[in-house]
Amino acid sequence: MAHAPAAAPVRQYRYYDFITATFVTVLLCSNLIGPAKICEIGGFTFGAGILFFPISYLFGDILTEVYGYARARRVVWMGFGALAFASLMSVVVLKLPPAPGYAGQAALESVFSQTPRIVLASLAAFWVGEFANSFALAKMKIQTEGRHLWRRAIGSTAVGAAVDSAIFYPVAFLGVWSTRDVLVVMGTNYVLKVLWEIIALPMTYRVVAALKRAEHEDHFDRDTDFTPFSLQAG
């Protein structure tokens, strides 16, 4: 009787789960806490969330660079699911009738209330932007044969952030804001996201180098199926 070949052992990593949890945490916090506050520093006005949301691209770069596109893809889906659940939960919590004497309803609504249009724009922009970022970095890593991390970190963020901004701002605000305001905010936030990636490059280099040594992994996606519609890790 022929025996089926044994399945290959699943590779275990020491820090993959930690990076995943950090990615999802940053994503949720930057989308739920930051957007409600508009800041002004030195005459420059911006949403507070823009200071933290680009960290998700940083971790997306680290995941793809060290562990490969397929494992980064699983994390993107985890982030998407967490963001979708948080959006649904905020709607349900706000719709529940407050108890008599409860004085916090207006405050909750001012912070967590989002229109379905903005929720849809946020989910779509995140999903497409993160996959574009990961795909670009994986392809550039093969083209550069693993050299010039700075080039693919900045280049992939430039691609991912462009897709993210091009989806989110028109879908969320076109027809609500003037076309000029949509374009100005979209362009400004795009530049800020790319600048953030450039500023964070020294940290990116250190984290990537440390993880590659600790995990004994430096994945190249030469035979990877790049479909986003999969949860396979390899």
Side-chain angles (χ1 to χ4, degrees), residues 28-200:
L28 288 177
C29 290
S30 61
N31 276 275
L32 295 178
I33 300 173
K37 184 170 184 177
I38 304 299
C39 306
E40 183 175 338
I41 299 178
F44 182 72
T45 303
F46 57 94
I50 196 64
L51 296 177
F52 299 96
F53 179 73
I55 301 175
S56 67
Y57 279 100
L58 171 62
F59 278 95
D61 291 345
I62 291 169
L63 282 161
T64 306
E65 174 68 23
V66 178
Y67 303 104
Y69 175 89
R71 292 184 178 88
R73 174 176 57 199
R74 289 174 60 85
V75 178
V76 172
W77 275 110
M78 292 178 196
F80 181 83
L83 189 57
F85 175 78
S87 300
L88 176 62
M89 180 176 173
S90 67
V91 171
V92 173
V93 169
L94 292 178
K95 291 294 184 181
L96 288 173
Y102 177 71
Q105 182 69 16
L108 283 175
E109 290 178 352
S110 69
V111 174
F112 294 109
S113 179
Q114 297 187 58
T115 67
R117 180 175 174 179
I118 292 178
V119 171
L120 175 63
S122 179
L123 289 171
F126 163 75
W127 191 83
V128 180
E130 284 292 344
F131 276 121
N133 177 73
S134 186
F135 177 83
L137 189 142
K139 287 295 188 181
M140 291 177 71
K141 184 174 183 179
I142 296 171
Q143 292 172 355
T144 60
E145 297 181 349
R147 300 188 300 270
H148 311 306
L149 173 59
W150 65 269
R151 184 187 299 175
R152 57 184 177 274
I154 296 173
S156 63
T157 296
V159 171
V163 173
D164 183 290
S165 296
I167 292 174
F168 177 75
Y169 291 101
V171 173
F173 300 114
L174 199 60
V176 179
W177 298 354
S178 70
T179 301
R180 180 184 179 279
D181 285 346
V182 171
L183 293 175
V184 168
V185 173
M186 182 170 64
T188 301
N189 282 4
Y190 170 73
V191 171
L192 286 174
K193 290 172 185 176
V194 177
L195 283 176
W196 207 109
E197 178 68 44
I198 295 172
I199 293 170

